[in-house]
Amino acid sequence: MSKQITYYSTNLKAEPVTFKEALLKGIAPDKGLYMPDQIPQFTPDEIDRFSGMPYWEIAYKVIHKFIKGDIHAKDLKALCKDAYDFDVPLENAYDRKYVMRLDQGPTASFKDFAARMMGRLMNYYLTRDKRNLLILTATSGDTGSAIASAYYGLKNVKAVVLFPEKEVTSRQRKQMTTLGKNIQILSLDGKFDDCQALVKQAFADKDLDHLNLSSANSINIGRLIPQTVYYFYSYSRLKNSIGEKAVFSVPSGNFGDMMGGVIAMKMGLPVKKFVIATNSNDEFPKYLETGKYDIIVPSKNCISSAMNVGHPSNMSRLVALYGGVMTEKGEVKKKPDMKLMKKEIWSASVDDKNTKSMIKDAWKKHELLLEPHGSVGWSGLMEYIKAHGDDKEQLYISLETAHPAKFPEQIIKLLGFDPELPKSLEGIEKRKEKYDTIGLEYKHFKKYLLKNYK
Ligand SMILES: *Cc1c(COP(=O)(O)O)cnc(C)c1O
């Protein structure tokens, strides 16, 4: 048996911690991100047996490898069964080219996969320790709804989500404001950055220490590990033979999704190549090509809005996985093994013009309905095939990270119809909304928290 995995900070200036501590802390005290000190392994036989298991059981097998010293097997099984009770469709486009739809969760976004597991794990540890936490999150749309939905109804966690009133679509807003119970939603007449600033100030405010504040942001290791599972799942359903290698294409912003895939590969999943598709924020494809990393500030606005990131927060994890060190600001302190990275990863940037034309093209040629993020992924795959040749026998899997009905304006403009809502979002227009509005200054937010959460 291998020794229990501990979690180190990518900045290497904080003590290693257990999974539970990493989950509840979120970010390391030296501002680095937590990474497992070893990558657990699956044998080809173990991976082959996934073909006969439902999604939740594969999730259990994968997550257990990372956290087994910190949770009872039967408790983790129950959490996985409860978290993953929705479909993961694998749609064939042509030959052996597939789109994995990660859009059937309660908020029709791939962020449900991570948020639902992280919420349940946090609640599990808090209940065991008889503690409570108050989660504060700022959102520009999708993260907030995934977090609100994932934490809804949990006993030992409350959540406050701040959103900029004018930057969120009404559909996105309703996904948060129609929940209630332990979820409180606050709107601000400002920008996402204003919401983010208030949350940061609250974390640093000693007067709020007694509220046990915590965050649920995308850099929590508890969100990363569940994102390795769907790579194993799709492979288990689509492979023809033991050990055959797949090509995955991942539309990427903060690189949490693709990190899940790269970790799955390091655990033994047979992968020929990861295609990392970005929008016009092309700092990563440039880095892979030139070895020079330049962040993009301010980030560029593209229609694949959840990927408008000029410096992916998970870059330091990727660099760590290849033996290098990168600070949270993007400085390379030690070079990673670029040769190996290039062997395993290929990357392309897709601009809005191509994102739009691919939505049309995929529909016309294959009746494949994509929204802007998934279109970036599919375009990246098509670029890869153009550069490396098409192979009818090769298994290709491109990820669709949101449901097309979340982006009706684009789809109507490009394809001329309004995509049908997924079951999870049906009836949302009619549900009753409840949220409060506060002023932009920190004193308003502080007063609100002190009054409502003693
Ligand atoms: C968050 C998000 C992404 C980007 O995922 P990362 O893990 O940040 O790379 C892509 N598509 C959609 C729809 C998202 O919400």
Side-chain angles (χ1 to χ4, degrees), residues 148-381:
S149 155
Y151 282 75
Y152 174 71
L154 297 179
K155 295 264 176 317
N156 289 46
V157 202
K158 292 189 171 102
V160 176
V161 181
L162 278 82
F163 75 95
E165 179 87 51
K166 294 201 183 82
E167 293 186 358
V168 167
T169 67
S170 78
R171 212 167 259 176
Q172 280 175 325
R173 191 188 67 237
K174 282 175 186 165
Q175 285 183 280
M176 306 187 271
T177 57
T178 54
L179 291 167
K181 275 197 188 168
N182 58 329
I183 309 297
Q184 184 62 53
I185 310 298
L186 290 179
S187 88
L188 239 67
D189 184 13
K191 299 181 82 63
F192 168 69
D193 292 342
D194 298 316
C195 300
Q196 182 87 320
L198 292 192
V199 168
K200 279 197 177 148
Q201 239 177 313
F203 284 134
D205 189 343
K206 291 265 175 291
D207 295 347
L208 302 180
D209 275 355
H210 64 291
L211 297 180
N212 292 321
L213 300 181
S214 185
S215 79
N217 50 23
S218 62
I219 46 144
N220 195 306
I221 187 74
R223 273 179 76 173
L224 196 63
I225 293 171
Q227 290 175 175
T228 58
V229 177
Y230 40 78
Y231 294 93
F232 285 104
Y233 172 80
S234 53
Y235 179 79
S236 80
R237 294 313 194 260
L238 299 173
K239 76 176 185 346
N240 279 343
S241 57
I242 297 183
E244 97 160 291
K245 291 186 171 177
V247 172
F248 285 96
S249 181
V250 191
S252 296
N254 262 321
F255 285 19
D257 197 357
M258 76 88 119
M259 269 308 290
V262 176
I263 289 174
M265 170 173 67
K266 301 283 177 193
M267 294 175 83
L269 184 70
V271 174
K272 181 167 176 196
K273 201 71 118 182
F274 272 103
V275 177
I276 305 305
T278 68
N279 59 25
S280 294
N281 293 283
D282 61 353
E283 63 286 344
F284 182 71
K286 285 218 170 109
Y287 177 53
L288 206 57
E289 194 186 312
T290 64
K292 216 172 142 293
Y293 185 67
D294 289 313
I295 68 175
I296 297 178
V297 259
S299 57
K300 295 182 186 149
N301 277 333
C302 299
I303 56 168
S304 48
S305 55
M307 306 191 327
N308 292 339
V309 180
H311 169 40
S313 46
N314 279 295
M315 264 308 284
S316 50
R317 280 195 172 117
L318 184 73
V319 167
L321 206 57
Y322 287 88
V325 178
M326 180 188 274
T327 68
E328 74 279 3
K329 297 207 172 74
E331 284 168 278
V332 181
K333 294 276 186 193
K334 182 179 167 216
K335 270 197 135 183
D337 183 344
M338 291 301 287
K339 219 174 123 194
L340 183 60
M341 203 190 279
K342 277 187 176 169
K343 189 169 156 252
E344 296 178 338
I345 298 174
W346 191 82
S347 188
S349 155
V350 180
D351 64 15
D352 275 356
K353 190 164 159 270
N354 284 322
T355 305
K356 290 179 190 169
S357 65
M358 190 54 87
I359 290 177
K360 282 195 198 164
D361 200 62
W363 179 250
K364 209 166 73 192
K365 284 196 185 135
H366 314 297
E367 283 193 26
L368 183 63
L369 183 57
L370 299 172
E371 54 70 56
H373 306 83
S375 175
V376 169
W378 183 253
S379 300
L381 181 60

Side-chain angles (χ1 to χ4, degrees), residues 30-207:
D30 64 356
K31 298 207 175 90
L33 306 190
Y34 284 118
M35 274 289 277
D37 65 351
Q38 47 173 313
I39 303 293
Q41 299 294 309
F42 282 117
T43 64
D45 271 352
E46 281 177 300
I47 293 174
D48 191 43
R49 282 199 289 275
F50 288 164
S51 303
M53 294 178 195
Y55 189 94
W56 71 263
E57 195 174 355
I58 301 174
Y60 160 71
K61 294 276 181 194
V62 173
I63 299 169
H64 190 242
K65 291 256 186 200
F66 285 97
I67 74 174
K68 59 185 166 196
D70 259 345
I71 193 164
H72 293 299
K74 79 167 180 15
D75 293 335
L76 181 59
K77 261 188 206 169
L79 296 185
C80 289
K81 213 168 176 171
D82 184 51
Y84 301 116
D85 57 355
F86 50 88
D87 278 351
V88 184
L90 297 160
E91 186 176 332
N92 183 248
Y94 66 102
D95 295 338
R96 295 186 71 211
K97 299 174 183 70
Y98 290 84
V99 168
M100 169 157 58
R101 295 204 176 267
L102 301 169
D103 60 359
Q104 300 294 305
T107 72
S109 150
F110 96 100
K111 290 191 169 68
D112 288 328
F113 286 80
R116 285 171 72 78
M117 199 63 218
M118 177 168 70
R120 280 160 179 77
L121 284 167
M122 276 187 172
N123 193 57
Y124 171 80
Y125 291 123
L126 294 167
T127 310
R128 220 172 62 176
D129 296 352
K130 301 194 171 55
R131 285 173 58 202
N132 292 286
L133 277 187
L134 178 60
I135 303 279
L136 301 183
T137 295
T139 185
S140 54
D142 274 357
T143 304
S145 50
I147 294 291
S149 155
Y151 282 75
Y152 174 71
L154 297 179
K155 295 264 176 317
N156 289 46
V157 202
K158 292 189 171 102
V160 176
V161 181
L162 278 82
F163 75 95
E165 179 87 51
K166 294 201 183 82
E167 293 186 358
V168 167
T169 67
S170 78
R171 212 167 259 176
Q172 280 175 325
R173 191 188 67 237
K174 282 175 186 165
Q175 285 183 280
M176 306 187 271
T177 57
T178 54
L179 291 167
K181 275 197 188 168
N182 58 329
I183 309 297
Q184 184 62 53
I185 310 298
L186 290 179
S187 88
L188 239 67
D189 184 13
K191 299 181 82 63
F192 168 69
D193 292 342
D194 298 316
C195 300
Q196 182 87 320
L198 292 192
V199 168
K200 279 197 177 148
Q201 239 177 313
F203 284 134
D205 189 343
K206 291 265 175 291
D207 295 347

